[in-house]
Amino acid sequence: MKALRNYLNKIKPDFEPGGKYEKLWSVFDGFESFLFVPNTTSGKKGVQIHDSVDSKRVMIIVVLALMPALLVGMYNVGYQHFLAIGEDAGFWATFLFGFISVLPKIVVSYAVGLGIEFIVAQVKHHEIQEGFLVSGMLIPMIVPVDTPLWMIGVATAFAVIFAKEIFGGTGMNVFNVALITRAFLFFAYPGKMSGDNVFVRTSDSFGFGGGKVVEGFSGATPLSFASSNLQPTNIIGEPLSGWDYFFGLIPGSIGETSTLAILIGAVVLLLTGVASWRIMFTVFGGGALMAWIVSACGASVLSVGDQICLGGFAFAAVFMATDPVTGCRTNTGKYIYGFLIGALAIIIRQFNSGYPEGAMLAVLLMNVFAPLIDFYVVEANIKRRLRRANA
Amino acid sequence: MSEKNKEIFLGPLSKNNPVIVQVLGICSALAVTAQMEPALVMSLSLTAVLAFASVIISLMRNTIPNRIRIIVQLVVIAALVIIVDQILKAFAYEVSKLLSVYVGLIITNCILMGRLEAFALGNKPWPAFLDGVGNGIGYSIILLIIAFFRELLGSGTLFGHQVIPQICYDWGYENNGLMILPPMALIVAGCIIWVQRAKNPEMQED
């Protein structure tokens, strides 16, 4: 690290005004602050508190919290593939298949998103902000494995420009950028984002893991079974249990299948205080309540636990709803916001047969209402205190 | 054409465009721009109605009592819209079916009432005619640009003819279904506003 610091110090004058690469200052500054800033905390004197945790470090923690879900997701991509072609490839080959299938998506997402951020920052002479670190990791995790790379590129560009940059960049967006990417893909290319043919890769990846699909294969996800009121089976027709849903060896978007891995990430986020426990718990609470109502009415074949573990629900609760920029800021607001996300996700899933999963739409819808909820919470607080003052 | 008339005619084409500067007539811009053909027919209909309504109102401007002027304007517009609607049904039935209620809804298009109130009521017929045609063309330009992108990216066609070659589809290209949905019309309109403001810095608000 020290050698790198010295090297940066050496080339820094070239990028400062008057230097050789003056025009690339934003790029240099981005890399420097990514690696070393801030390294200051509050001084020994005085009463101020200021630690070195800034938005960049917060984002890095979120990316770390995403790792378990990503790794299990990669393994699951390989697992579903080899299950579909009826081969037992062993742990490492299974993981490797998933790794080389998912890695290009991560590269495309980061390259397109960061490319646009760099260009915008350069044009506006702003510092490069680190807002895309998390979005860039989320995007490949919430798409089906067979999504073409160019679609991810187009959707990422759309989301970064129209959901983030035109609102003023990182921290100013109304909607969750990663979910806008997914919503764009979902509405623009429905054939590649839903249905029975996209969640399991049956072809080879870069020539690796080729084979013929076994008899009786069906790429349907458990939720698409449930939306047609059938008991879910895995892709070769064997029955699934609640534990399968929990461990996540089921077809689905890349990072969302394993509830266990997502919960590990949730623990990291809660222990470090990065995500709001109020939102996280109320999303699960709202979803559980609505799932209980639904199953008590006999409207679904899924139990409460199944509803929570399946699809993108847990992923949305832990990583999407807790986005501090697009969520509620007041504590009371967070309870309302989280509860409605959970409840709406299950309602959409259950009562709109066109959408087997509703977590994405529920979070986006509540993103719109978050400022309104905050407004009324603040107003109510002002009223209460005025009454108290006047009494 | 005098300098002033020129300004009246050319202003609405860019600097004072009814759709992207005054943000009028947005509903129909959303509704009829999924394809070029209905967008073109809609543009022509609106331009014709606006031009004739402006002339008629301008001719009557000194005899219309101030208190009932809105009703008078509406009667004129409604009569013209019904004529246009009947002509479309007679000679372009397929397009008229595509446009469905939107031809009838020209009556409620804000551009019409806006121009009649703001211009035709206080000006002589010739400038009023130029103003009507200018605003109609300004509206048409925007509609056609939006329809161009929506049809090209959403269906791969222009005026119903396949434009994007089959080889692209063989290579994995797919039409963007979102472009067919109304929200993209707003986003394309937003991009046009973006380009226009970027080119004319004096139009940028703080």
Side-chain angles (χ1 to χ4, degrees):
Chain A
M1 272 321 240
K2 207 152 201 182
L4 191 60
R5 175 74 264 183
N6 289 338
Y7 176 69
L8 283 180
N9 282 345
K10 205 177 88 194
I11 63 170
K12 195 170 186 176
D14 286 342
F15 292 95
E16 277 165 352
K20 252 189 296 185
Y21 306 115
E22 187 188 348
K23 287 221 166 68
L24 292 173
W25 166 249
S26 297
V27 177
F28 175 81
D29 185 67
F31 280 114
E32 194 195 15
S33 49
F34 179 76
L35 293 167
F36 290 106
V37 175
N39 54 4
T40 55
T41 52
S42 49
K44 292 245 156 53
K45 282 184 201 162
V47 290
Q48 77 274 29
I49 296 178
H50 162 76
D51 67 9
S52 60
V53 176
D54 68 343
S55 66
K56 175 196 62 177
R57 296 199 175 182
V58 167
M59 305 241 175
I60 290 292
I61 291 171
V62 180
V63 171
L64 288 177
L66 282 166
M67 283 303 126
L70 180 66
L71 295 177
V72 176
M74 285 175 171
Y75 178 79
N76 186 44
V77 166
Y79 178 84
Q80 299 298 333
H81 170 76
F82 286 113
L83 194 63
I85 63 171
E87 249 179 60
D88 187 7
F91 178 81
W92 288 109
T94 305
F95 182 78
L96 186 67
F97 180 86
F99 184 75
I100 59 174
S101 306
V102 175
L103 193 65
K105 294 182 175 45
I106 301 177
V107 172
V108 167
S109 150
Y110 270 119
V112 172
L114 287 179
I116 292 172
E117 289 241 346
F118 277 41
I119 291 168
V120 170
Q122 203 62 61
V123 169
K124 289 182 162 177
H125 300 288
H126 285 175
E127 288 182 9
I128 287 170
Q129 287 170 318
E130 46 282 281
F132 196 73
L133 277 182
V134 173
S135 309
M137 188 54 81
L138 287 172
I139 289 165
M141 294 178 70
I142 54 177
V143 295
V145 64
D146 264 347
T147 315
L149 293 178
W150 70 268
M151 285 184 187
I152 296 181
V154 169
T156 306
F158 176 86
V160 171
I161 294 172
F162 287 100
K164 189 153 111 183
E165 295 303 345
I166 62 168
F167 286 101
T170 302
M172 313 290 274
N173 43 320
V174 180
F175 297 104
N176 188 312
V177 177
L179 280 181
I180 289 290
T181 310
R182 196 185 196 285
F184 181 88
L185 286 170
F186 183 80
F187 288 107
Y189 309 109
K192 293 286 181 197
M193 289 302 286
S194 51
D196 299 347
N197 301 320
V198 296
F199 289 104
V200 176
R201 174 163 288 187
T202 49
S203 60
D204 57 293
S205 289
F206 303 108
F208 176 68
K212 255 181 84 75
V213 173
V214 295
E215 198 101 344
F217 166 81
S218 149
T221 63
L223 277 179
S224 68
F225 279 111
S227 80
S228 32
N229 269 324
L230 298 170
Q231 201 62 41
T233 64
N234 75 357
I235 55 174
I236 51 172
E238 292 161 358
L240 288 168
S241 75
W243 288 110
D244 293 316
Y245 305 153
F246 185 70
F247 290 120
L249 293 181
I250 48 174
S253 294
I254 293 165
E256 67 170 24
T257 55
S258 172
T259 311
L260 175 68
I262 292 165
L263 287 183
I264 296 172
V267 170
V268 173
L269 290 182
L270 291 179
L271 285 182
T272 51
V274 165
S276 157
W277 60 267
R278 292 183 174 86
I279 293 179
M280 214 185 276
F281 288 148
T282 47
V283 175
F284 282 116
L289 180 68
M290 192 48 71
W292 178 76
I293 294 172
V294 163
S295 74
C297 300
S300 173
V301 295
L302 299 171
S303 71
V304 174
D306 296 348
Q307 294 269 27
I308 300 292
C309 292
L310 280 177
F313 186 87
F315 195 85
V318 172
F319 295 110
M320 297 297 185
T322 54
D323 175 6
V325 174
T326 54
C328 275
R329 272 130 169 107
T330 55
N331 283 344
T332 318
K334 282 176 181 166
Y335 293 124
I336 303 169
Y337 174 77
F339 181 84
L340 286 175
I341 287 179
L344 278 172
I346 303 293
I347 291 176
I348 296 170
R349 189 186 272 185
Q350 201 56 51
F351 297 109
N352 190 335
S353 50
Y355 305 133
E357 174 57 307
M360 165 186 86
L361 296 168
V363 175
L364 283 177
L365 183 64
M366 290 314 294
N367 281 170
V368 183
F369 285 107
L372 185 74
I373 296 171
D374 274 343
F375 175 80
Y376 279 108
V377 169
V378 171
E379 288 290 298
N381 197 29
I382 291 172
K383 258 191 208 147
R384 205 181 58 238
R385 298 185 68 149
L386 269 181
R387 253 204 317 274
R388 198 165 64 197
N390 293 337
Chain B
M1 218 188 283
S2 71
E3 204 51 39
K4 197 168 155 246
N5 282 348
K6 218 179 211 169
E7 177 63 33
I8 289 169
F9 179 69
L10 293 179
L13 299 193
S14 73
K15 292 283 166 65
N16 203 14
N17 190 288
V19 183
I20 59 172
V21 177
Q22 302 170 23
V23 197
L24 300 173
I26 288 290
C27 313
S28 51
L30 295 185
V32 301
T33 52
Q35 289 165 339
M36 289 290 274
E37 200 181 351
L40 181 68
V41 174
M42 182 72 182
S43 302
L44 292 176
S45 311
L46 185 119
T47 309
V49 172
L50 185 51
F52 287 119
S54 288
V55 172
I56 294 169
I57 292 293
S58 173
L59 286 170
M60 301 197 299
R61 69 188 187 280
N62 294 327
T63 52
I64 301 174
N66 199 29
R67 283 158 72 186
I68 59 162
R69 65 184 195 283
I70 302 279
I71 290 291
V72 175
Q73 290 166 11
L74 269 182
V75 170
V76 171
I77 297 170
L80 287 167
V81 167
I82 289 169
I83 293 171
V84 167
D85 196 24
Q86 293 302 319
I87 291 175
L88 283 183
K89 275 193 182 135
F91 296 105
Y93 186 65
E94 289 303 314
V95 183
S96 134
K97 264 204 317 203
L98 267 180
L99 288 170
S100 64
V101 297
Y102 290 99
V103 172
L105 284 177
I106 292 178
I107 298 172
T108 60
N109 195 313
C110 317
I111 299 174
L112 280 161
M113 295 294 279
R115 289 329 292 171
L116 296 185
E117 274 285 295
F119 198 89
L121 267 179
N123 285 281
K124 291 196 175 123
W126 176 237
F129 178 75
L130 287 178
D131 179 76
V133 175
N135 276 286
I137 295 176
Y139 171 86
S140 311
I141 293 173
I142 304 302
L143 237 66
L144 290 175
I145 296 176
I146 297 176
F148 174 81
F149 285 111
R150 284 185 72 190
E151 189 175 353
L152 181 67
L153 299 175
S155 315
T157 57
L158 286 177
F159 288 105
H161 299 291
Q162 191 68 34
V163 176
I164 294 177
Q166 185 58 37
I167 184 133
C168 295
Y169 293 100
D170 296 339
W171 277 80
Y173 177 80
E174 276 189 36
N175 289 325
N176 187 326
L178 195 58
M179 288 308 253
I180 308 282
L181 302 175
M184 281 317 266
L186 270 188
I187 291 180
V188 176
C191 292
I192 299 173
I193 293 176
W194 188 358
V195 171
Q196 195 205 23
R197 303 288 158 105
K199 281 198 166 166
N200 303 297
E202 75 275 8
M203 293 179 71
Q204 292 171 9
E205 301 94 349
D206 288 324

